Amino acid sequence: MKPDLFQAPDYYKLDELLSEEHKIVRDAARSWVKKEISPIIEEYAQKAEFPNQIIKGLAEIGAFGPYIPQEYGGAGLDQISYGLIMQEIERGDSGIRSTASVQSSLVMYPIWKYGSEEQKQKFLPKLASGELMGCFGLTEPNHGSDPGSMTTNFKDKGDYYLLNGAKMWISNAPFADIAVIWAKNEEGRIHGLIVERGMEGFSTPETHNKWSLRASATGELLFDNVKIPKENLLPNRSGLSAPLGCLDSARYGIAWGAIGSAMDCYDTALRYAKERIQFDKPIAGMQLQQKKLAEMITEITKAQLLTWRLGVLRNENKATSAQISMAKRNNVHMAINIAREARQILGAMGITGDYSIMRHMMNLESVITYEGTHDIHLLITGMDITGISAFK
């Protein structure tokens, strides 16, 4: 087992833009990742298994709903703190960050924003502590980038709702205690419903044979005449804007998380380049390797500045969905390019599990697609700057 020697790059001294609380939160997450994730993650990725024992630790570092008010069990932190936690967790592994992102932005967020007071009191404290784990159901087998065409539906049966349909590519599904799912009522209006493990007709088969996010549990959500108590409907928001509001929060966390993957690949490549001797000197002294490393730190620095500013806007409730899309698209694209360049610096060693780079690269192939594909986010920016939709 190799020691975790990671040193975070801060070329533009961005730490000076952070508060003391931000740095304390980040450093706690960083230390936890070094102690609890780095020693085990390669093993769990190799055997395609989620390390369930880390759930308690994720809760303890505030990874579950860090911005949720303390009255509901959250830490009451700001958006930059949330981003920094996601950055540090994804530095360890994108799949582990996915687990925290889903719990925070796609399960706790909609219950906090759209739920009743009873729902908040019932679910949020247990989700914050990790006693309950959740998942989010929007994507369907035939409806991904066009979620408004979903076919999952529910009918009012007087004392309850009857839910039918299916969701696919759902992180946390195999072990989730609850699922916040989105379905159409008889008028075709989209609503959020809380489905609980054990409800008859509700099943969560696991998705196998993944080459990406191997340490993350992925599955389907199947609903076969599931009776949903009426008090499990999220009452305070409906329409497609409701799940899209959750995705804004998740995409924001991904924008930070991708920086963590990129930093880990850069740090690994830089250290290796200084140690690897060819032609009687470290390869870090070769022009082409310096070009790769210089471009890496440039792109990481640009992404850090972009995302910090987005965090400030989020704290001020000024960030737009299009701005979040830009950051998600830019930062994941940046990270996957850095992973590929870092792999080349390591040569053949870069494909082995002795280093994190190939695992990051494979994970980022999923991250660049989920929560809105690379191309869809490009069109969101295009629509925002031209005022013309290319979707229809």
Side-chain angles (χ1 to χ4, degrees), residues 105-106 109-110 113-114 136 138 182 189-192 234 236-248:
S105 291
L106 301 183
Y109 180 90
K113 286 293 187 180
Y114 314 145
F136 172 92
L138 182 62
W182 302 89
R189 185 74 175 173
I190 294 171
H191 289 266
L234 297 178
N236 295 327
R237 187 83 173 267
S238 64
L240 189 57
S241 66
L244 293 183
C246 306
L247 291 177
D248 274 352

Side-chain angles (χ1 to χ4, degrees), residues 317-333:
N317 293 314
K318 293 179 181 178
T320 67
S321 295
Q323 288 169 335
I324 295 168
S325 279
M326 176 184 282
K328 190 270 184 181
R329 176 185 175 274
N330 178 82
N331 291 9
V332 180
H333 185 248

Side-chain angles (χ1 to χ4, degrees), residues 92-148:
D93 187 75
S94 302
I96 307 303
R97 197 268 310 142
S98 295
T99 296
S101 281
V102 167
Q103 183 88 336
S104 297
S105 291
L106 301 183
V107 180
M108 298 178 72
Y109 180 90
I111 294 173
W112 174 44
K113 286 293 187 180
Y114 314 145
S116 66
E117 185 62 28
E118 291 74 18
Q119 290 168 343
K120 295 175 190 178
Q121 295 287 353
K122 178 179 179 181
F123 294 110
L124 289 179
K126 291 182 179 181
L127 289 164
S129 69
E131 181 180 345
L132 290 180
M133 294 299 293
C135 64
F136 172 92
L138 182 62
T139 297
E140 297 187 353
N142 295 316
H143 303 98
S145 295
D146 182 19

Side-chain angles (χ1 to χ4, degrees), residues 64-287:
F64 298 151
Y67 49 78
I68 298 294
Q70 292 181 348
E71 64 183 294
Y72 299 121
L77 300 172
D78 72 351
Q79 289 291 306
I80 292 176
S81 293
Y82 169 52
L84 289 166
I85 294 171
M86 295 302 105
Q87 172 187 285
E88 295 306 313
I89 295 174
E90 187 147 357
R91 203 280 296 179
D93 187 75
S94 302
I96 307 303
R97 197 268 310 142
S98 295
T99 296
S101 281
V102 167
Q103 183 88 336
S104 297
S105 291
L106 301 183
V107 180
M108 298 178 72
Y109 180 90
I111 294 173
W112 174 44
K113 286 293 187 180
Y114 314 145
S116 66
E117 185 62 28
E118 291 74 18
Q119 290 168 343
K120 295 175 190 178
Q121 295 287 353
K122 178 179 179 181
F123 294 110
L124 289 179
K126 291 182 179 181
L127 289 164
S129 69
E131 181 180 345
L132 290 180
M133 294 299 293
C135 64
F136 172 92
L138 182 62
T139 297
E140 297 187 353
N142 295 316
H143 303 98
S145 295
D146 182 19
S149 296
M150 70 175 65
T151 57
T152 298
N153 66 90
F154 64 98
K155 293 179 171 59
D156 190 333
K157 294 297 183 179
D159 295 333
Y160 58 88
Y161 298 119
L162 197 65
L163 176 66
N164 283 281
K167 303 293 182 178
M168 196 172 188
W169 305 119
I170 310 301
S171 295
N172 300 0
F175 58 75
D177 300 292
I178 67 169
V180 173
I181 70 101
W182 302 89
K184 289 180 177 177
N185 65 10
E186 290 157 287
E187 290 74 46
R189 185 74 175 173
I190 294 171
H191 289 266
L193 298 147
I194 301 172
V195 185
E196 300 178 58
R197 176 76 66 183
M199 289 181 171
E200 187 176 353
F202 173 44
S203 59
T204 60
E206 187 165 1
T207 302
H208 296 288
N209 298 322
K210 299 182 299 176
W211 287 108
S212 180
L213 298 181
R214 289 173 60 82
S216 174
T218 308
E220 300 174 65
L221 303 175
L222 305 180
F223 314 107
D224 181 12
N225 288 322
V226 183
K227 292 182 179 179
I228 307 294
K230 288 201 164 180
E231 61 265 27
N232 281 28
L233 180 87
L234 297 178
N236 295 327
R237 187 83 173 267
S238 64
L240 189 57
S241 66
L244 293 183
C246 306
L247 291 177
D248 274 352
S249 182
R251 290 163 177 168
Y252 168 75
I254 290 168
W256 281 92
I259 296 172
S261 291
M263 291 195 306
D264 195 56
C265 291
Y266 165 78
D267 182 65
T268 300
L270 177 62
R271 185 175 296 106
Y272 184 90
K274 290 179 177 180
E275 296 171 353
R276 175 70 168 171
I277 305 297
Q278 293 290 288
F279 305 104
D280 300 321
K281 71 174 183 178
I283 63 171
M286 307 295 186
Q287 288 184 4

Side-chain angles (χ1 to χ4, degrees), residues 19-35:
S19 70
E20 286 305 310
E21 181 178 69
H22 291 150
K23 287 182 274 193
I24 290 169
V25 167
R26 181 201 60 198
D27 292 347
R30 183 173 295 168
S31 296
W32 181 81
V33 167
K34 285 196 172 196
K35 181 181 178 183

